[in-house]
């Protein structure tokens, strides 16, 4: 079996130190975007409910 050189260890360590933070940042950004989309959807639903309630009230008053 061929011994692993120090150069290979340094390369693997460098690749790991670059890859792990990028993966963590990508995942956290994905979660933030997902939460923002949920919040926007909730606001749209609330706006639609408020609008439909206003229309119902206007129709009942006429």
């Amino acid at each position: 079996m061929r011994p692993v050189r120090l150069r290979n260890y340094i390369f693997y360590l460098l690749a790991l130190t670059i890859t792990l933070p990028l993966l963590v940042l990508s995942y956290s950004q994905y979660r933030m975007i997902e939460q923002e989309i949920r919040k926007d959807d909730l606001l749209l639903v609330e706006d639609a409910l408020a609008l439909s309630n206003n229309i119902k009230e206007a129709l009942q008053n006429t």
Side-chain angles (χ1 to χ4, degrees):
M1 186 167 139
R2 207 172 114 200
V4 180
R5 296 181 181 168
L6 179 64
R7 171 175 49 179
N8 290 353
Y9 280 125
I10 293 173
F11 173 76
Y12 296 144
L13 183 63
L14 178 65
L16 189 65
T17 57
I18 291 173
T19 304
L20 279 179
L22 289 177
L23 289 174
V24 169
L25 287 173
S26 297
Y27 180 72
S28 63
Q29 187 176 21
Y30 168 77
R31 295 292 294 175
M32 287 181 0
I33 290 171
E34 186 179 42
Q35 289 174 356
E36 191 70 28
I37 290 173
R38 282 187 191 152
K39 188 171 33 169
D40 288 346
D41 287 346
L42 182 62
L43 289 175
L44 286 174
V45 168
E46 289 174 352
D47 288 346
L49 287 174
L51 180 62
S52 68
N53 288 338
N54 288 342
I55 292 173
K56 284 179 187 176
E57 289 176 11
L59 288 175
Q60 288 175 354
N61 291 337
T62 59

